[in-house]
Amino acid sequence: MSRFKLICQYDGSSFHGWQLQKDKRTVQGELEKAIAKLNKGKLIHVVGSGRTDAGVHAFGQVAHFDMDTELGHNSLRKAINGNLNEDCYVNSVELVDNEFHARFSAIKREYIYSCRQNRNLLDRNRIWYTDKLNILKLNDAAKILIGNHDFLSFSKKNPQIKNTICNIYQSKWNETNQIVNYHISGNRFLHHMVRYLVGSMVAISQGKYNIKQLKKELDYPTSDSKQFKAPAYGLILNHISYE
């Protein structure tokens, strides 16, 4: 049995997230159905690098699956894409060592969150309209997040998650015309973490929250913290890095 690594992109607008859900359309479910058609209808389990929420997009989601096939890498990629709808596309497929794991072998994850300062209806499913933002305030807040921190206050409560410490390598906002993008990378991320961080920083820019409160939530984490949360559709899983 050979193990394959795939990198895919998807428009999360019509998906109920990555993970399989009964009677709901998910990215994992669509990929498994597409690959099963190449395996005489037998299910092939696809393991992703991590879950994305309903509405969240991806350009560089990584997954692996085990399968016996005589198809070459490019032919396998084309065959999978031929069985997918237009809102999901496999960028590449490659043969990897059987010890490779899409989730546990990853060493860095990169996300981009996009905000727009003026109205543009064509962006409504991929960019959060926030009105005018203060880029200096945003970056003052973003710098605080770099390094090892306990992000319990900025995550969805989950009693099963015991370790809520993440190491953030990059945290930066940049502005191009009316679009303001937030770039963040780290070794791991908690559920809804990026959306809570973005929502909190935008609230700082809008005067609804302040940096002192942000620091307090990092220094004294709590599971019942009331935070601002950005909508899902502005978030993109951009890239996963491996050794």
Side-chain angles (χ1 to χ4, degrees), residues 190-201:
L190 308 176
H191 196 190
H192 290 179
M193 176 176 155
V194 178
R195 293 170 60 193
Y196 277 120
L197 292 174
V198 170
S200 298
M201 286 185 280

Side-chain angles (χ1 to χ4, degrees), residues 152-157 195-197 199-200 203 208-210 213-214 217 220-229:
L152 177 64
S153 298
F154 299 94
S155 64
K156 183 177 180 180
K157 187 175 181 180
R195 293 170 60 193
Y196 277 120
L197 292 174
S200 298
K208 301 175 184 177
Y209 192 59
N210 60 58
Q213 290 171 295
L214 178 71
E217 296 289 359
Y220 304 98
T222 174
S223 61
D224 58 357
S225 176
K226 304 298 181 184
Q227 293 297 330
F228 300 88
K229 183 166 71 171

Side-chain angles (χ1 to χ4, degrees), residues 9-216:
Q9 57 180 291
Y10 47 87
D11 178 347
S13 304
S14 60
F15 289 107
H16 285 81
W18 164 268
Q19 189 179 21
L20 283 172
Q21 296 185 52
K22 186 178 180 180
D23 300 325
K24 290 184 178 180
R25 186 169 183 258
T26 67
V27 182
Q28 182 184 14
E30 291 298 292
L31 286 170
E32 289 187 354
K33 286 193 293 185
I35 296 172
K37 291 179 180 179
L38 308 176
N39 193 45
K40 299 179 180 179
K42 296 180 180 179
L43 176 67
I44 296 288
H45 185 49
V46 175
V47 179
S49 66
R51 306 172 185 177
T52 51
D53 298 326
V56 174
H57 313 293
F59 183 73
Q61 173 68 287
V62 178
H64 77 259
F65 61 94
D66 297 331
M67 180 181 178
D68 285 325
T69 179
E70 296 180 358
L71 292 173
H73 303 164
N74 198 42
S75 296
L76 183 56
R77 179 187 65 83
K78 290 181 178 179
I80 297 172
N81 282 328
N83 292 326
L84 290 171
N85 290 323
E86 292 185 349
D87 50 7
C88 184
Y89 181 81
V90 175
N91 302 334
S92 66
V93 174
E94 64 176 293
L95 185 67
V96 292
D97 189 278
N98 285 342
E99 294 182 357
F100 173 84
H101 195 284
R103 178 183 175 189
F104 298 123
S105 299
I107 59 172
K108 183 170 73 171
R109 295 163 168 83
E110 301 175 24
Y111 286 89
I112 299 174
Y113 196 99
S114 297
C115 300
R116 179 176 274 282
Q117 301 177 96
N118 64 341
R119 285 284 186 185
N120 185 329
L121 292 180
L122 298 181
D123 285 339
R124 66 185 182 275
N125 291 324
R126 67 183 188 92
I127 298 180
W128 182 23
Y129 168 64
T130 58
D131 210 341
K132 186 64 178 176
L133 294 172
N134 185 318
I135 193 72
L136 294 178
K137 285 187 177 181
L138 290 174
N139 273 317
D140 284 344
K143 292 175 186 176
I144 296 170
L145 305 177
I146 296 175
N148 273 297
H149 299 284
D150 189 333
F151 287 94
L152 177 64
S153 298
F154 299 94
S155 64
K156 183 177 180 180
K157 187 175 181 180
N158 185 345
Q160 296 180 338
I161 302 297
K162 304 302 181 184
N163 177 17
T164 51
I165 296 176
C166 305
N167 190 3
I168 300 303
Y169 308 129
Q170 179 190 34
S171 176
K172 184 178 182 180
W173 293 83
N174 59 51
E175 182 177 9
T176 304
N177 297 323
Q178 293 297 321
I179 296 177
V180 182
N181 289 321
Y182 177 56
H183 297 261
I184 184 170
S185 65
N187 66 326
R188 64 194 289 260
F189 289 90
L190 308 176
H191 196 190
H192 290 179
M193 176 176 155
V194 178
R195 293 170 60 193
Y196 277 120
L197 292 174
V198 170
S200 298
M201 286 185 280
V202 168
I204 288 173
S205 173
Q206 296 171 337
K208 301 175 184 177
Y209 192 59
N210 60 58
I211 290 181
K212 185 177 180 180
Q213 290 171 295
L214 178 71
K215 288 180 178 178
K216 183 179 179 181

